[in-house]
Amino acid sequence: GAVVSQHPSRVICKSGTSVKIECRSLDFQATTMFWYRQFPKKSLMLMATSNEGSKATYEQGVEKDKFLINHASLTLSTLTVTSAHPEDSSFYICAGEGGGASTDTQYFGPGTRLTVL
Amino acid sequence: DAKTTQPNSMESNEEEPVHLPCNHSTISGTDYIHWYRQLPSQGPEYVIHGLTSNVNNRMASLAIAEDRKSSTLILHRATLRDAAVYYCILRDFFQKLTFGTGTRLTIIP
């Protein structure tokens, strides 16, 4: 199956700093990438959808200036959490779809656990 | 988005088949039925999906009711590695995935 990687797998940062999370599709070209967040014992919540070379589409209630998404190539998308605060601590998961992988199937990365002190 | 209903939790003995039910009475004609699973501290993993006919792959089988208002994910021989949260999701073509709370499957050795 198609493989998606994320880096880092976990990160701890101080309040007020920015954190960048990378998402890579390793063996397919992800024309669309998705970013989710998941709080402990809760389900995944979609944050935004991005198509390569276009601006991301954010879900209602997600601050686009706080969660910066860049999808500069068909194999790389980044999520930057700006001025992170403790309430941003969560499990962030990306997914890729399209371009050589099975159509209509999202392939998920392993997730990045962010802890903001 | 059309909604699905799944039991919160299920248990099964190792090496026995597991039938995970999902109800979706408001499914539309263009909704595909997708199943994903999430192991602890990992991202979700695609399991299987179908539209009308039953589907089989190396991981599982998907049995879809004739009226499409329910479906069942079948794991033919459960192993400890199958312990996960299983999500049944309806998705129109290339629309976003909306995750519910899923079914937490526990495998008993």
Side-chain angles (χ1 to χ4, degrees):
Chain A
V3 180
V4 175
S5 70
Q6 280 184 244
H7 179 78
S9 58
R10 56 178 64 233
V11 56
I12 301 172
C13 69
K14 292 183 179 179
S15 186
T17 60
S18 294
V19 175
K20 181 185 281 190
I21 301 169
E22 288 188 353
C23 174
R24 293 182 185 272
S25 56
L26 299 184
D27 53 2
F28 71 103
Q29 294 184 321
T31 51
T32 305
M33 282 194 172
F34 306 84
W35 286 95
Y36 297 81
R37 66 187 298 182
Q38 185 174 33
F39 292 108
K41 300 191 185 303
K42 299 292 185 183
S43 192
L44 280 78
M45 296 292 294
L46 179 65
M47 299 175 66
T49 303
S50 72
N51 292 301
E52 184 260 341
S54 303
K55 287 185 179 179
T57 301
Y58 290 81
E59 294 298 301
Q60 193 171 10
V62 178
E63 299 175 59
K64 63 180 181 180
D65 294 331
K66 181 168 185 62
F67 298 99
L68 302 179
I69 291 171
N70 184 281
H71 189 172
S73 79
L74 289 172
T75 58
L76 174 63
S77 176
T78 60
L79 168 67
T80 302
V81 183
T82 62
S83 187
H85 291 284
E87 57 266 29
D88 298 322
S89 298
S90 189
F91 193 47
Y92 291 88
I93 309 167
C94 70
E97 183 175 79
S102 295
T103 58
D104 201 27
T105 299
Q106 289 188 20
Y107 294 93
F108 288 81
T112 297
R113 188 163 302 283
L114 170 64
T115 303
V116 184
L117 302 176
Chain B
D1 296 332
K3 198 172 175 182
T4 63
T5 304
Q6 299 177 252
N8 288 332
S9 62
M10 290 183 64
E11 288 185 349
S12 180
N13 293 320
E14 194 178 8
E15 298 186 4
E16 290 187 356
V18 182
H19 290 235
L20 296 164
C22 181
N23 288 321
H24 27 79
S25 59
T26 60
I27 190 170
S28 72
T30 53
D31 281 333
Y32 281 76
I33 303 160
H34 287 250
W35 283 83
Y36 285 79
R37 71 180 184 181
Q38 186 176 24
L39 279 66
S41 299
Q42 295 188 29
E45 175 185 27
Y46 166 79
V47 178
I48 201 166
H49 77 286
L51 183 62
T52 55
S53 303
N54 294 344
V55 184
N56 299 297
N57 65 21
R58 62 174 181 82
M59 288 182 68
S61 295
L62 176 60
I64 301 172
E66 198 168 329
D67 63 5
R68 299 210 327 127
K69 293 187 177 182
S70 66
S71 60
T72 302
L73 179 70
I74 302 165
L75 307 179
H76 295 287
R77 190 168 167 271
T79 70
L80 296 177
R81 289 177 295 177
D82 292 320
V85 178
Y86 286 77
Y87 298 98
C88 169
I89 304 169
L90 300 183
R91 187 187 190 201
D92 203 346
F93 199 67
F94 282 125
Q95 297 302 304
K96 59 186 180 183
L97 290 174
T98 302
F99 285 80
T101 53
T103 297
R104 183 173 299 277
L105 176 64
T106 300
I107 304 299
I108 302 167

